[in-house]
Amino acid sequence: MVAVEADGFNPAMPRPVDAEQTLLSASPYVDSWGRGRTIQNTSLCENGEGTLVFVAGTFHWPLALNEPEHLNPQVQRATRNLLSRMLEPRD
């Protein structure tokens, strides 16, 4: 699933003080730009107000949802769980 571009977690990158980032996956791959083996991460960020930001970390995430040659039941389930969580009422 890691293709075209991939993003990984960099703890040195700034983020809002009240935000927490949870890594959901760590997928090793060989970078085609010559940087060798690296890690792609999928993550979920949440701030103190409960706002959620999903970071797929790869352009091919949507393909796993609907494209026959890329269908992935784990990605479909993760997406369903994520959308259910995002649609839950906040206190």
Side-chain angles (χ1 to χ4, degrees), residues 3 6 24 27 42 48 55-57 62 74 85 87 89-90:
L24 304 174
S27 302
T42 299
V55 183
Q74 291 85 7
R85 181 171 176 197
L87 292 171
R90 289 195 253 171

Side-chain angles (χ1 to χ4, degrees), residues 57-77:
T58 176
F59 284 159
H60 278 200
W61 187 276
L63 296 179
L65 300 175
N66 197 36
E67 290 293 321
E69 64 274 7
H70 296 286
L71 285 179
N72 183 305
Q74 291 85 7
V75 172
Q76 291 172 331
R77 176 178 283 190

Side-chain angles (χ1 to χ4, degrees), residues 1-7 40 56-64:
M1 253 187 48
V2 176
V4 183
E5 283 186 15
D7 296 320
Q40 174 274 339
T58 176
F59 284 159
H60 278 200
W61 187 276
L63 296 179

Side-chain angles (χ1 to χ4, degrees), residues 2 5 7 13 17-18 31 37 41 45 49 51 57 64-65 72 74-75 81:
V2 176
E5 283 186 15
D7 296 320
M13 293 298 293
V17 175
D18 69 341
D31 184 299
R37 188 175 166 92
N41 295 110
C45 300
E49 296 176 0
T51 301
L65 300 175
N72 183 305
Q74 291 85 7
V75 172
N81 292 344

